[in-house]
Amino acid sequence: MEPAALRSGFNDHISVESNGGFDCPKNKQPFIIGVAGGTASGKTTVCNQIISQLHDQRVVLVNQDSFYRSLNDDQLVNVHEYNFDHPAAFNTELLLSCMEKLRRGHPVNIPSYDFKSHKSIEPSRLVNPADVIILEGILVLHDFHVRNLMNMKIFVDIDSDVRLARRIQRDTVERGRNIQNVLDQYSRFVKPSFEEFILTSKKFADIIIPRGGDNDVAIDLIVQHILTKLGQHDLCKIYPNINVIFSTFQVAFIYVVVEHGLGHLPFTEKQIITPTGSVYSGVVFCKRLCGVSVIRSGESMENALRACCKGIKIGKILIHGDGKNGRQKLPADISSRHVLLLDPVLASGNSAIKAISLLLSKGVPETSIIFLNLISAPEGIHAVCRKFPKLKIVTSEIDSSLDKNYGVIPGMGEFGDRYFGTD
Ligand SMILES: Nc1ncnc2c1ncn2[C@@H]1O[C@H](COP(=O)(O)OP(=O)(O)O)[C@@H](O)[C@H]1O
Ligand SMILES: Nc1ccn([C@@H]2O[C@H](COP(=O)(O)O)[C@@H](O)[C@H]2O)c(=O)n1
Ligand SMILES: [Mg+2]
């Protein structure tokens, strides 16, 4: 029996975690982008361009400016002594709690800030949860906790002279300042704080955009990346070494997973002369292969592997449930081969970790292991990917979670029993 026949409707089981960690459906967490850069570098302009190109997605823009602390009366009297470019000028705790609520899928009230009175004003802005949240501001890459929220970090990089010219223009027109105020504030606070806190956060950026809003190519690439990520499971946003095969009903077939796994192996071009004398160009794997099945359910994938790679050697690993080390029968030269580790279900990850550790102890490099499975639980992916970031996982489905007996939900029951007809 093919495993696809064991399951039905397995694409429509998005569930909600019950542990208070996240209230969002598991693979529906928002994609959070941070956009930093010096004053008047074009952060807001870049964000608006990204938003306009993401027209089919729910996007919200949160400005760090909204979290400026209101000045008290004493501070207002001496406003020219106040450093608005220092991290302490912002209420970062409030920013973090608002971002956390949005991340969990809750609406939130964001304060409104008035640059003329230097205070928060009513009404605040009700922001609804969205697929993409963009957080923009001079210091959003400075604070470790704020940075940690982000899936993508952008720094807008523009010549300081251009920024100063734009700032004079903007602050005199929109923020009620005169040129002398702007220049004094710039040389006393804005420039030194830029060098101390903003420029030093540039190293945390994933993308640096020269020329800001004029850089159409950079904005286009960013939008494409966001669209790709929005289509992916959340775990793929965290672990680049996990590959989920496009999930239609048919692709749960073992053969497709095996073929896809083979596609991850390095190969070189090879030409041969056919019996009719013509030249045929094909490819050959750079290194010899070996399958290793985890007994017993992994054996269900062996036929597919043999069908794809005639004569491939296949070893076996038996994992004990009682904490003892696993037993194995593996080719003597396994350390010089690429290993396709076969186990159709990745649940807690405990068996997989034992099997992988055993392969490593036999000298197989982590980079030479491709773990092929059909159904995986997020818990197993976290466990394996954290411990072995250099191996690849190829799966056809990431399910919702684990039950208390470490069974995958919804999963497909005891795979070995169902496949071999012993249930
Ligand atoms: N590429 C550009 N060309 C000309 N003016 C620009 C450009 N980008 C931004 N500006 C102007 O510069 C000022 C600052 O831009 P803004 O996007 O608000 O910067 P930031 O949010 O980084 O402070 C605004 O008045 C804006 O209209
Ligand atoms: N009351 C305030 C608050 C902030 N500023 C300046 O705004 C700059 C940050 O905003 P951008 O849109 O330019 O990123 C920052 O450099 C502060 O100096 C202010 O002048 N008055
Ligand atoms: Mg701005």
Side-chain angles (χ1 to χ4, degrees):
M1 181 166 39
E2 289 292 354
L6 301 172
R7 282 162 68 98
S8 62
F10 55 85
N11 277 332
D12 51 10
H13 47 253
I14 295 168
S15 78
V16 176
E17 270 191 25
S18 58
N19 62 5
F22 302 100
D23 304 341
C24 251
K26 269 196 164 175
N27 53 357
K28 279 286 168 204
Q29 285 200 29
F31 190 76
I32 302 181
I33 305 165
V35 180
T39 181
S41 55
K43 300 180 292 296
T44 307
T45 308
V46 164
C47 292
N48 288 336
Q49 288 176 345
I50 294 173
I51 291 167
S52 73
Q53 289 194 35
L54 286 171
H55 40 79
D56 285 342
Q57 309 292 333
R58 292 186 308 156
V59 188
V60 291
L61 178 61
V62 177
N63 299 91
Q64 190 182 27
D65 296 344
S66 304
F67 298 90
Y68 266 119
R69 296 179 195 279
S70 291
L71 297 199
N72 61 32
D73 291 344
D74 288 345
Q75 290 167 323
L76 279 172
V77 171
N78 298 307
V79 67
H80 302 304
E81 305 292 319
Y82 194 87
N83 185 353
F84 290 101
D85 293 75
H86 192 279
F90 294 94
N91 185 343
T92 301
E93 295 73 39
L94 183 61
L95 182 150
L96 280 168
S97 88
C98 288
M99 288 298 291
E100 189 55 30
K101 282 185 192 145
L102 278 176
R103 196 169 72 88
R104 290 174 178 220
H106 298 297
V108 70
N109 273 308
I110 304 267
S112 302
Y113 184 74
D114 177 29
F115 286 91
K116 291 183 181 162
S117 63
H118 312 289
K119 283 180 187 263
S120 288
I121 51 166
E122 292 299 332
S124 53
R125 180 171 68 114
L126 180 68
V127 174
N128 285 311
D131 303 318
V132 180
I133 302 170
I134 307 182
L135 174 63
E136 173 252 316
I138 50 173
L139 287 167
V140 296
L141 294 187
H142 169 75
D143 184 88
F144 168 80
H145 301 284
V146 180
R147 249 188 353 253
N148 245 2
L149 290 168
M150 297 165 185
N151 301 103
M152 185 190 219
K153 303 181 214 52
I154 297 173
F155 191 93
V156 182
D157 204 13
I158 302 269
D159 189 82
S160 294
D161 297 344
V162 177
R163 289 194 295 104
L164 176 58
R166 286 182 186 166
R167 171 130 176 181
I168 294 170
Q169 170 86 7
R170 182 192 64 190
D171 284 10
T172 50
V173 174
E174 295 171 22
R175 296 188 180 176
R177 316 287 165 90
N178 64 46
I179 295 182
Q180 197 53 51
N181 293 156
V182 179
L183 291 176
D184 287 348
Q185 185 189 2
Y186 187 84
S187 55
R188 190 148 173 217
F189 296 119
V190 180
K191 186 171 187 289
S193 293
F194 173 76
E195 279 156 13
E196 185 173 356
F197 304 113
I198 303 173
L199 205 52
T200 50
S201 72
K202 185 170 155 182
K203 60 177 174 287
F204 300 116
D206 304 306
I207 299 167
I208 295 165
I209 311 186
R211 306 188 309 285
D214 291 334
N215 196 330
D216 295 338
V217 174
I219 289 163
D220 220 46
L221 287 169
I222 289 165
V223 169
Q224 289 313 315
H225 180 80
I226 296 167
L227 291 174
T228 305
K229 289 292 167 188
L230 284 176
Q232 288 181 344
H233 192 285
D234 274 345
L235 292 173
C236 304
K237 295 173 194 160
I238 307 173
Y239 302 115
N241 56 333
I242 178 133
N243 297 272
V244 183
I245 303 166
F246 179 63
S247 195
T248 64
F249 192 76
Q250 296 90 329
V251 297
F253 287 108
I254 300 169
Y255 286 79
V256 181
V257 173
V258 170
E259 280 182 7
H260 193 95
L262 292 171
H264 283 272
L265 295 172
F267 57 82
T268 52
E269 283 193 14
K270 185 170 181 174
Q271 290 189 334
I272 54 161
I273 312 288
T274 67
T276 55
S278 53
V279 178
Y280 178 82
S281 294
V283 293
V284 60
F285 291 121
C286 294
K287 216 167 152 185
R288 286 174 313 150
L289 308 181
C290 166
V292 173
S293 56
V294 178
I295 296 172
R296 169 177 71 135
S297 51
E299 293 172 310
S300 64
M301 301 174 79
E302 291 177 2
N303 284 346
L305 184 57
R306 284 204 187 89
C308 294
C309 303
K310 282 215 170 354
I312 187 170
K313 290 198 178 195
I314 296 187
K316 311 255 183 192
I317 292 181
L318 175 64
I319 301 295
H320 298 285
D322 55 9
K324 285 187 209 152
N325 287 334
R327 292 173 57 195
Q328 91 289 331
K329 188 79 188 139
L330 301 170
D333 60 354
I334 191 162
S335 63
S336 61
R337 292 172 182 263
H338 272 293
V339 175
L340 295 147
L341 181 63
L342 311 174
D343 195 353
V345 181
L346 170 61
S348 69
N350 286 342
S351 308
I353 287 172
K354 282 185 191 166
I356 295 162
S357 303
L358 205 150
L359 291 173
L360 298 183
S361 74
K362 297 285 167 195
V364 181
E366 197 178 308
T367 45
S368 295
I369 304 172
I370 299 181
F371 180 28
L372 303 182
N373 73 75
L374 303 181
I375 293 169
S376 46
E379 290 84 345
I381 289 179
H382 281 301
V384 173
C385 288
R386 277 189 194 133
K387 198 163 169 61
F388 308 110
K390 292 189 196 134
L391 69 66
K392 282 205 172 80
I393 299 180
V394 175
T395 187
S396 70
E397 193 74 21
I398 300 177
D399 270 3
S400 309
S401 55
L402 289 181
D403 63 22
K404 58 182 184 340
N405 300 317
Y406 302 108
V408 181
I409 303 173
M412 54 167 74
E414 177 50 51
F415 189 93
D417 280 341
R418 300 193 71 176
Y419 185 89
F420 294 109
T422 51
D423 57 345

